[in-house]
């Protein structure tokens, strides 16, 4: 299921607080960083905050720069991104600034919350998600129904925590402010529950006046049936590796990456890598690891094309190599067509051997791109 790109945005004190407990909002950033946030807002299709943030901060969530609004309209987009909030209870103040500034708004809630909002309506579309809030369903609705491709999440801490815990965040933009709050009753960036996704990957640091912006990406694979943002990252990398393959008229161009459970990249490979004209991507990647590497049983293999179940150039197909390595999870973009092998079914061979196979069809076109000359 396709989701928007989910960007978490927050500013915290040195001791990890989003705010203090005073009646006024604690300003953690300065003018230059506020302008950066405005630029990010102008780049996205929607901005999301929780109901608690609306109650605590009463935000407007606007693109403040007239030039940026004009640029959005020149590109055929509304002047302001869609504003989104989430409330399981439906307990929302209809007089809040959120409803009365900017463009369109939508509320995601439960069936119970939707009934409450009928009695106390707000100036927004109301979308019930069932008996409980369901983040994957919410993101799918934003993508498919509202056309949201980039979603900026500005709080609060509970929402940031849930999206990271469920592997649904693609990026964290965190600003560190040079002050301490020191009040245990103040709201923190992340709530209880624990993040099991391993280390985040630092992709950028930037000084902005007296604060520091840090951009992180999740790295840990998802579960058997729940792909994570990191799964999308690693499969995109596999598709990119496929473009590095020497061209061939008799074999597909495929890329593969082996990733440990904690998000560490173990190995990568692509078809016809090095001096071997017939090596396959998964074969090339696995050959770079010791057969008894203890990380393999909990690793994930990402391959731009379904691992092969039959081949003439080697004794063992890639699906068998994966099984022999002890890997128990494979993520791929594209089922192997019958171009070279009739009734190819590497996924069936893997699943029969106890491997969880996850297909992300939104990457199929990217995986096919370096193979167009073979597809007719």
């Amino acid at each position: 299921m396709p989701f928007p790109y989910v960007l978490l945005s927050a500013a915290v004190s040195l001791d990890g607080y989003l705010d203090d407990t005073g009646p006024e909002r604690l300003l953690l950033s300065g003018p230059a960083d506020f302008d950066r946030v405005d630029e990010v807002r102008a780049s996205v299709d929607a901005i999301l905050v929780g109901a608690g943030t609306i109650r605590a901060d009463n935000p407007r969530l606007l693109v403040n720069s007239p030039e940026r609004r004009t640029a959005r309209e020149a590109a055929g987009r509304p002047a302001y991104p869609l504003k989104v909030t989430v409330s399981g209870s439906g307990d929302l103040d209809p007089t809040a600034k959120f409803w009365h500034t900017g463009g369109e708004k939508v509320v995601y809630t439960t069936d119970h919350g939707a009934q409450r909002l009928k009695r106390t309506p707000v100036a927004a579309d109301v979308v019930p998600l069932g008996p409980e809030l369901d983040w994957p369903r919410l993101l799918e609705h934003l993508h498919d129904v509202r056309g949201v491709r980039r979603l900026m999440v500005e709080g609060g801490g509970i929402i940031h925590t849930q999206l990271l815990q469920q592997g649904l965040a693609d990026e964290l933009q965190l600003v560190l402010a040079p002050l301490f709050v020191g009040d245990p009753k103040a709201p923190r960036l992340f709530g209880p529950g624990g993040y099991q996704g391993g280390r985040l990957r630092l992709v950028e640091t930037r000084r902005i006046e007296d604060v520091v912006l840090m951009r992180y990406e999740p790295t840990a694979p998802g579960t058997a049936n729940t792909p994570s943002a990191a799964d999308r990252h690693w499969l995109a990398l596999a598709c990119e590796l496929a473009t590095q393959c020497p061209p061939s008229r008799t074999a597909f161009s495929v890329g593969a990456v082996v990733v440990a459970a904690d998000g560490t990249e173990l190995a990568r490979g692509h078809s016809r890598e090095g001096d071997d004209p017939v090596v396959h991507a998964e074969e090339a990647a696995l050959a770079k690891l010791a057969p008894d590497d203890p990380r393999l049983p909990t690793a994930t293999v990402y391959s731009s094309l379904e691992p092969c179940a039959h081949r003439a150039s080697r004794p063992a197909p890639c699906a068998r190599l994966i099984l022999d390595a002890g890997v128990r999870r494979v993520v791929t973009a594209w089922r192997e067509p019958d171009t070279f092998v009739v009734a190819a079914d590497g996924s069936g061979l893997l699943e029969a051997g106890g491997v969880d196979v996850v297909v992300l069809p939104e990457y199929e076109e990217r995986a096919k791109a370096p193979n167009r000359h073979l597809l007719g």
Side-chain angles (χ1 to χ4, degrees):
M1 62 185 76
F3 294 153
Y5 183 95
V6 177
L7 185 160
L8 309 184
S9 176
V12 295
S13 64
L14 289 174
D15 49 349
Y17 289 96
L18 291 165
D19 200 351
D20 57 17
T21 53
E24 300 296 328
R25 180 187 174 195
L26 176 65
L27 297 181
L28 293 164
S29 297
D33 187 55
F34 291 143
D35 185 66
R36 178 196 64 82
V37 171
D38 194 65
E39 183 179 21
V40 176
R41 287 179 179 176
S43 73
V44 302
D45 302 304
I47 304 169
L48 183 149
V49 295
T53 299
I54 294 177
R55 287 190 286 269
D57 297 340
N58 198 17
R60 297 184 306 155
L61 299 178
L62 302 178
V63 175
N64 294 311
S65 165
E67 293 78 13
R68 289 173 183 142
R69 295 197 300 270
T70 299
R72 285 177 60 90
E73 291 177 315
R77 307 167 74 189
Y80 298 100
L82 174 72
K83 293 201 292 189
V84 184
T85 191
V86 182
S87 172
S89 67
D91 181 14
L92 295 165
D93 180 0
T95 67
K97 296 176 183 176
F98 182 90
W99 316 110
H100 303 291
T101 56
E104 295 185 20
K105 296 94 181 171
V106 61
V107 179
Y108 289 97
T109 185
T110 60
D111 293 340
H112 170 75
Q115 292 300 316
R116 181 170 186 165
L117 286 167
K118 287 182 179 179
R119 299 189 296 271
T120 311
V122 293
D125 294 335
V126 176
V127 180
L129 297 173
E132 297 181 354
L133 293 175
D134 184 328
W135 280 108
R137 186 177 173 188
L138 183 157
L139 294 175
E140 186 176 13
H141 187 274
L142 278 176
H143 183 280
D144 293 348
V145 178
R146 304 304 301 238
V148 174
R149 298 297 180 265
R150 287 182 63 85
L151 173 67
M152 182 181 187
V153 181
E154 294 201 37
I158 293 175
I159 287 178
H160 283 148
T161 301
Q162 290 174 346
L163 289 169
L164 273 174
Q165 285 176 335
Q166 295 183 38
L168 298 172
D170 294 277
E171 180 179 343
L172 170 63
Q173 293 190 2
L174 181 64
V175 166
L176 187 64
L179 55 84
F180 292 91
V181 171
D183 186 344
K185 295 181 181 178
R188 286 189 173 276
L189 173 58
F190 296 120
Y195 173 59
Q196 304 300 320
R199 296 177 69 91
L200 302 178
R201 180 190 303 104
L202 180 65
V203 295
E204 181 189 1
T205 59
R206 190 193 319 169
R207 178 179 175 177
I208 305 173
E209 294 179 334
D210 66 343
V211 304
V212 177
L213 168 67
M214 297 170 288
R215 291 180 53 236
Y216 290 95
E217 291 179 347
T219 61
T223 61
N225 299 313
T226 307
S228 68
D231 285 331
R232 297 191 286 275
H233 166 83
W234 293 117
L235 188 56
L237 175 58
C239 293
E240 181 182 332
L241 290 170
T243 67
Q244 300 178 18
C245 301
S248 172
R249 287 282 178 184
T250 59
F252 290 114
S253 293
V254 183
V257 191
V258 185
V259 180
D262 66 356
T264 302
E265 179 182 331
L266 300 180
R268 62 174 69 183
H270 60 79
S271 303
R272 301 177 293 285
E273 181 178 319
D275 297 326
D276 190 338
V278 297
V279 70
H280 285 195
E282 304 92 331
E283 177 188 15
L286 288 170
K288 297 168 185 172
L289 297 169
D292 58 351
D293 190 314
R295 299 168 295 181
L296 282 171
T298 56
T300 297
V301 169
Y302 297 88
S303 180
S304 60
L305 176 66
E306 174 185 46
C308 63
H310 306 281
R311 63 186 298 190
S313 58
R314 290 282 197 270
C318 291
R320 173 52 56 190
L321 295 176
I322 290 170
L323 288 170
D324 291 346
V327 174
R328 289 297 174 262
R329 186 170 185 264
V330 171
V331 178
T332 185
W334 177 32
R335 299 284 192 183
E336 184 179 0
D338 294 343
T339 307
F340 301 115
V341 177
V342 177
D345 188 18
S347 296
L349 179 58
L350 290 167
E351 289 170 345
V355 174
D356 295 313
V357 179
V358 180
V359 180
L360 300 184
E362 58 265 40
Y363 288 88
E364 181 174 327
E365 290 305 311
R366 207 179 302 187
K368 285 181 176 179
N371 296 288
R372 291 292 180 198
H373 62 292
L374 299 173
L375 302 177

